[in-house]
Amino acid sequence: KAKALRVDLAAAELEVSDWTRLAADLGRKGLQATLVDSAAPELTRATNDLLHTCFGPRWTVTYETQRVNGNGSVSEGYDVRIIDTERGRDGVVEDLSDGERTIIGEAASLALTELACKRAGFENPTLIRDESGAALSPEKRPMWVAMLRRAARHVNADRVIVISHSEDVQEMCDVRMRVAGGQVTIEA
């Protein structure tokens, strides 16, 4: 009976080791890290396409998924680096002004949306932005609207819904819905 129990125990230990290995392979340092690493080049391309096409060559963004530690070892991370050719700097998002963060953040968000739609197989989504361009100067708002339109084309969006209190942004929209005093008016 002891021999049979040892055989059962060995089989159970082998099964546990298989499940432990599978958990590691599918966990944060396994498949999840691989998916994040594999997304970085596509996110970089999509973000820079939106930025360069709509705002010009001033900013270039890279997504870095690994960090070199002080001892030379490599660990997982996720840093967004921005080269600003106008100011001659290579830095992180925290170094930017509110308006610059908005531009970079919107480009990154729309690039991530593009990647998510492609990977999930979404067809004809609706993009929704709620005051996301509010920190932009009047000179940058037309470029931001152009970026929304370009992102919509990339994901074949049915529509883009923008909530904005900026009259100039509203004027750039194809259709405007105004809500005031309980009344809704639609203007084309």
Side-chain angles (χ1 to χ4, degrees):
K1 184 168 179 155
K3 185 177 180 179
L5 287 174
R6 281 193 291 278
V7 169
D8 289 347
L9 178 62
E13 287 173 342
L14 181 60
E15 186 172 349
V16 166
S17 72
D18 287 345
W19 284 108
T20 301
R21 175 59 193 238
L22 183 60
D25 289 346
L26 296 176
R28 264 185 64 209
K29 294 184 178 183
L31 182 60
Q32 291 176 31
T34 301
L35 288 172
V36 169
D37 288 347
S38 71
E42 194 169 353
L43 283 175
T44 297
R45 181 212 49 79
T47 301
N48 289 321
D49 171 76
L50 291 168
L51 286 172
H52 295 166
T53 302
C54 301
F55 288 91
R58 176 179 176 182
W59 296 290
T60 298
V61 173
T62 57
Y63 298 93
E64 298 174 0
T65 60
Q66 297 182 341
R67 296 180 182 133
V68 178
N69 300 320
N71 63 4
S73 66
V74 176
S75 64
E76 296 296 325
Y78 208 83
D79 295 321
V80 179
R81 303 229 24 109
I82 299 123
I83 296 171
D84 182 343
T85 59
E86 188 174 290
R87 296 205 177 147
R89 66 181 178 195
D90 178 353
V92 293
V93 173
E94 292 78 17
D95 296 338
L96 302 174
S97 71
D98 288 345
E100 292 167 339
R101 281 186 202 186
T102 297
I103 292 166
I104 302 298
E106 279 292 285
S109 176
L110 291 166
L112 188 56
T113 298
E114 182 180 332
L115 179 66
C117 285
K118 185 184 297 180
R119 289 193 176 181
F122 289 149
E123 295 180 19
N124 311 108
T126 298
L127 299 181
I128 301 172
R129 306 319 269 170
D130 184 358
E131 290 291 344
S132 56
L136 296 176
S137 67
E139 299 79 37
K140 298 289 188 213
R141 289 182 194 139
M143 294 175 235
W144 175 70
V145 170
M147 186 168 64
L148 292 175
R149 290 180 187 277
R150 185 169 183 83
R153 282 192 303 275
H154 285 180
V155 298
N156 198 29
D158 279 345
R159 67 191 65 78
V160 178
I161 298 173
V162 176
I163 299 168
S164 177
H165 295 317
S166 301
E167 289 288 329
D168 54 338
V169 170
Q170 294 172 17
E171 293 302 318
M172 289 180 256
C173 295
D174 298 329
V175 176
R176 290 162 297 288
M177 179 187 305
R178 296 185 192 274
V179 180
Q183 298 293 322
V184 177
T185 57
I186 297 178
E187 304 167 3

